[in-house]
Amino acid sequence: LGGPEAIAFSPDSQEICFTANTDKNEALSTNGDLFTVPASGAGAPTRITLNPADDWGPVYSRDGMWIVYRAQMQPGYEADRWRLMLYSRKNRKETNLTADFDRSVESYEFAPDSKTIYFTAEDKGEMPIYSIGAAPGNSPKVVVNGHFNDEFDVSGDGRTLAFARTSLTMPAEIFAANSDGGDVRQLTHQNAALLSQLDLAKPEAFW
């Protein structure tokens, strides 16, 4: 299926995982499944998910033991909530990490130690960055809160998060924070000159 998130390389570059819809009538189906295939092209793809709804966006853990992806559970329902799923390459079993999390998972990335997964999910008009342990029984924790935080990445040493932040009074700028959410700082000020000329009303949140 389209989009760069549909394809991922394993850390050793020996395998590719991708999303494909193999139903007879793709136009009437929302059933995407994950497949793996040797990066050399030798051998047929292996289907690793059997969920009748959509499985999407594989990301390998850096130690190569896991593949995380997101999934919907209701076939044909495109507005279904996206769950964060963890697939074990060793025992070929998947775990729903956010079964009790009433938000729809957007983007996600492993920490370098492969023990933590960072992800984004919209919440009350904003987009916090969450973390969750890469094992059953853990609950998501808010790491970066406030505003709309998207397009995030984790540094190679796992100490820093970088992300694009927007708000009702600020176009996208690049921010960084410690991996525990501390020391949030703005790195770019591309729109500062234009914003200084505007008298923007300060928005207030209510719920």
Side-chain angles (χ1 to χ4, degrees):
L1 296 176
E5 300 87 0
I7 301 173
F9 279 86
S10 62
D12 61 8
S13 300
Q14 299 301 306
E15 182 181 88
I16 296 173
C17 186
F18 63 92
T19 305
N21 186 336
T22 59
D23 284 4
K24 186 176 181 179
N25 192 338
E26 296 179 28
L28 298 178
S29 168
T30 62
N31 182 23
D33 278 311
L34 297 188
F35 295 78
T36 58
V37 67
S40 64
T46 300
R47 186 190 304 266
I48 65 172
T49 62
L50 298 173
N51 174 28
D54 203 8
D55 300 310
W56 172 258
V59 173
Y60 285 85
S61 62
R62 303 193 189 189
D63 62 8
M65 294 181 60
W66 311 94
I67 296 174
V68 68
Y69 62 99
R70 63 178 189 159
Q72 296 178 324
M73 300 301 174
Q74 298 185 49
Y77 184 42
E78 294 183 351
D80 190 19
R81 177 166 58 94
W82 288 101
R83 286 80 164 174
L84 189 68
M85 308 295 293
L86 186 69
Y87 174 81
S88 170
R89 298 178 72 196
K90 182 178 181 180
N91 61 27
R92 300 180 180 274
K93 294 182 179 180
E94 68 272 352
T95 300
N96 185 346
L97 295 178
T98 59
D100 299 323
F101 181 64
D102 188 25
R103 297 292 183 268
S104 195
V105 172
E106 297 293 335
S107 58
Y108 35 90
E109 187 67 51
F110 273 97
D113 63 6
S114 301
K115 296 179 180 179
T116 301
I117 302 167
Y118 294 97
F119 70 91
T120 57
E122 287 194 43
D123 180 51
K124 300 178 181 178
E126 296 182 338
M127 180 90 89
I129 299 176
Y130 299 83
S131 68
I132 190 171
N138 291 300
S139 299
K141 299 178 181 179
V142 174
V143 177
V144 177
N145 205 358
H147 305 291
F148 202 89
N149 307 292
D150 202 5
E151 304 294 337
F152 78 94
D153 203 357
V154 187
S155 63
D157 60 9
R159 297 179 179 178
T160 305
L161 299 172
F163 49 92
R165 169 173 284 189
T166 61
S167 72
L168 293 178
T169 58
M170 183 184 67
E173 297 282 5
I174 302 302
F175 282 68
N178 297 342
S179 59
D180 62 0
D183 191 22
V184 177
R185 55 225 183 248
Q186 185 172 345
L187 303 183
T188 66
H189 298 82
Q190 299 285 18
N191 301 289
L194 289 174
L195 290 175
S196 67
Q197 304 172 36
L198 303 176
D199 183 16
L200 297 175
K202 183 180 179 180
E204 296 180 6
F206 65 93
W207 194 255

